[in-house]
Amino acid sequence: MEIPILPIALFLVICAPSALGGHDYGQALSKSILFFEAQRSGYLPHNQRVTWRANSGLQDGKASGVDLTGGYYDAGDNVKFGLPMAFTVTMMSWSIVEYGKQMAANGELGHALDAVKWGTDYLIKAHPEPYVLYGEVGDGNTDHYCWQRPEDMTTDRRAYKIDPSNPGSDLAGETAAAMAAASLVFRHYNPSYANELLSHARQLFEFADKYRGKYDSSITVAQKYYRSVSGYNDELLWAAAWLYEATDNQYYLNYLGENGDSMGGTGWSMTEFGWDVKYAGVQTLVAKFLLQGRAAHHAPVFERYKEKAENFLCSCMKKGTRNVQTTPAGLIFRQRWNNMQFVTSASFLATVYSDYLSSSGGNLRCAAGNVPPSGLLGFAKSQVDYILGDNPRATSYMVGYGNNYPRQVHHRGSSIVSIKVNSAFVSCRGGYATWYSRKASDPNLLSGAIVGGPDAYDNFADERDNYEQTEPATYNNAPILGILARLSGGHSGYNQLLPVLLPPVNHPDPSAQSKTLPSPVSSSTPITVEQKMTSSWTAKGKTYYRYSTKVTNNSPKSLKDLKLSIFRLYGPLWGLEKSGDSYVFPSWLNSLAAGESLEFVYIHTASPANISVSSYTLF
């Protein structure tokens, strides 16, 4: 592509520091979607943006006579666990169903659709027959014995399945829910694919309901890692709810109405929602059906579902009769290991329910008093803001967002040098000796990953062996996509109770974004990054935009060793030099004195790139 070159003046200027409050939810959304590309298994596509990853798991399923390449590694290991992967797909899909409009406005809807399809393409492969579903590839025991990047795996890649003789209603039910939810996402973009997903969803629901049993009794290697403590009744209701949402078929409506009491949908008041326990999600979705007028003669039963949904949200806001535990700074706290999964999932339910209430003109009814929809959304925002850095440690628990985030992530791929940088084989135990034990930052930035998070007292230790706090997971990120899209879009502008109608997949018009675009920083940050579009022109039928970006040292000390992460950059850049995956000062500049700024520019045909500070030194 031929790009016109403009004369560029690079200069240092003295300017007053500007305090920038709040968060850039659009940038956080972009990063949180990007994380899924780092978790991909199989043959990576030509448009893969996480370039330090390469193909992996290419023999998965071969020994069982089935192609199980693709899908997602669940967390910092190299196992493909079916139950959390399917839940991840369900929650990504729900995020798009509710907030695809806002994702499109951010130019991220296409990436979100790609993330869902990477999961559903694998789930289709994992369901080769109506009553057969592969639920795991690899096993945690042998995998955890090794510390290898996915591209070097030498661990056992055996595939494990459920069938009529070895049932798994929870696994099949969650996978049915994922397929049904995803069918809604692709209904207007790829109707034939959406129909294929619905066909799988119907078969899997029938399988789950007809041959009942817990999946971890059949796939016993999963018990130590993803045990189904809640059983399978919640997944059967969850699958029925998503199939009703996707098909409007009365069979699934009757299933919810007739089994709500006996299966716990109307009986359980929950204080958690996640990959294992789905009741609060079922109750929220059924409450939506009731508010939409889709309950038919099951309205009395659906009222009881709705009551339990509201009990859950009241407990999260500490306005119920049995409230959740929170840290001193207000973060939901459920358990020491990967607590953030419960924070993002609960916050998503609060976000969508806020919009359901707004659309119906109602309030949340709690024991401690009514809460307006804005109060629910404000609660969700407070949890997300904590994750992004508004906490006692001023730590962003999303890797790559802000200035102070985890550097020693418990993640094999990010902690070992990329195979593209050093192709030398990393052995099973050698990875522990060479890379796991390093007391240094990861060589690869796991951008957008939400780690396990702080303990019950807001404390956090950024150490690779502290897996309870520094390991990320796909199901931490999936629910936050919707919240970030909602928060970045301001008022939703349409009725959440109307039928799903997703917008076209396109990028926003950069010419409408000439205002200054700050990076996500708090008022105490020593560095600010400001962008603005300074000119545009058309050449050979394409419109090009010139963006000027100013990096300012607001501290009283000199700044050196600055590293910037730049994503969604599709053209040339002047004024910085590339160093690995980062951008650094040009060779003629060693440091920025207190109060000084550096300006650099870039040109491309898209909306502004995402720019954040990765690391720096003050002296």
Side-chain angles (χ1 to χ4, degrees), residues 206-373:
E206 181 184 341
F207 176 28
D209 196 35
K210 185 175 182 180
Y211 298 100
R212 295 192 182 186
K214 282 178 55 178
Y215 96 104
D216 56 12
S217 296
S218 299
I219 304 178
T220 55
V221 293
Q223 289 181 359
K224 186 178 176 182
Y225 303 95
Y226 290 102
R227 186 171 186 174
S228 180
V229 177
S230 70
Y232 53 77
N233 282 336
D234 51 338
E235 276 87 7
L236 289 174
L237 294 172
W238 180 237
W242 277 110
L243 277 160
Y244 181 54
E245 176 77 324
T247 66
D248 217 25
N249 188 309
Q250 296 298 299
Y251 175 81
Y252 303 110
L253 173 69
N254 292 336
Y255 192 97
L256 290 166
E258 294 165 5
N259 295 288
D261 293 337
S262 62
M263 288 186 169
T266 63
W268 289 104
S269 287
M270 306 308 302
T271 55
E272 70 173 89
F273 171 54
W275 61 261
D276 180 26
V277 186
K278 313 292 163 46
Y279 282 114
V282 175
Q283 291 155 357
T284 301
L285 203 52
V286 172
K288 179 185 183 182
F289 301 154
L290 181 67
L291 294 171
Q292 288 175 317
R294 297 171 62 197
H297 65 281
H298 297 294
V301 179
F302 281 24
E303 281 284 1
R304 295 198 291 276
Y305 276 103
K306 180 173 178 284
E307 178 187 342
K308 299 305 180 186
E310 297 201 343
N311 285 353
F312 170 76
L313 296 170
C314 292
S315 73
C316 289
M317 298 185 70
K318 288 185 170 292
K319 293 181 178 294
T321 55
R322 187 166 65 100
N323 295 327
V324 302
Q325 179 184 349
T326 58
T327 68
L331 184 75
I332 290 174
F333 188 82
R334 177 72 186 176
Q335 65 183 32
R336 290 186 309 167
W337 170 71
N338 192 18
N339 180 66
M340 282 303 185
Q341 61 181 304
F342 303 110
V343 178
T344 59
S345 294
S347 299
F348 178 85
L349 294 187
T351 300
V352 295
Y353 204 75
S354 166
D355 282 337
Y356 297 161
L357 290 177
S358 290
S359 300
S360 62
N363 290 316
L364 178 66
R365 298 164 297 180
C366 297
N370 288 353
V371 178

Side-chain angles (χ1 to χ4, degrees), residues 498-531:
L498 293 177
V500 176
L501 183 60
L502 293 174
V505 179
N506 56 14
H507 292 274
D509 179 6
S511 64
Q513 302 191 25
S514 59
K515 65 179 185 295
T516 298
L517 302 166
S519 68
V521 292
S522 66
S523 58
S524 61
T525 185
I527 304 168
T528 55
V529 180
E530 295 177 293
Q531 295 197 71

Side-chain angles (χ1 to χ4, degrees), residues 185-206:
V185 168
F186 291 105
R187 177 175 291 171
H188 300 293
Y189 306 120
N190 192 338
S192 62
Y193 188 68
N195 289 336
E196 182 182 7
L197 291 171
L198 265 183
S199 176
H200 283 279
R202 290 188 181 99
Q203 289 180 358
L204 284 164
F205 179 76
E206 181 184 341

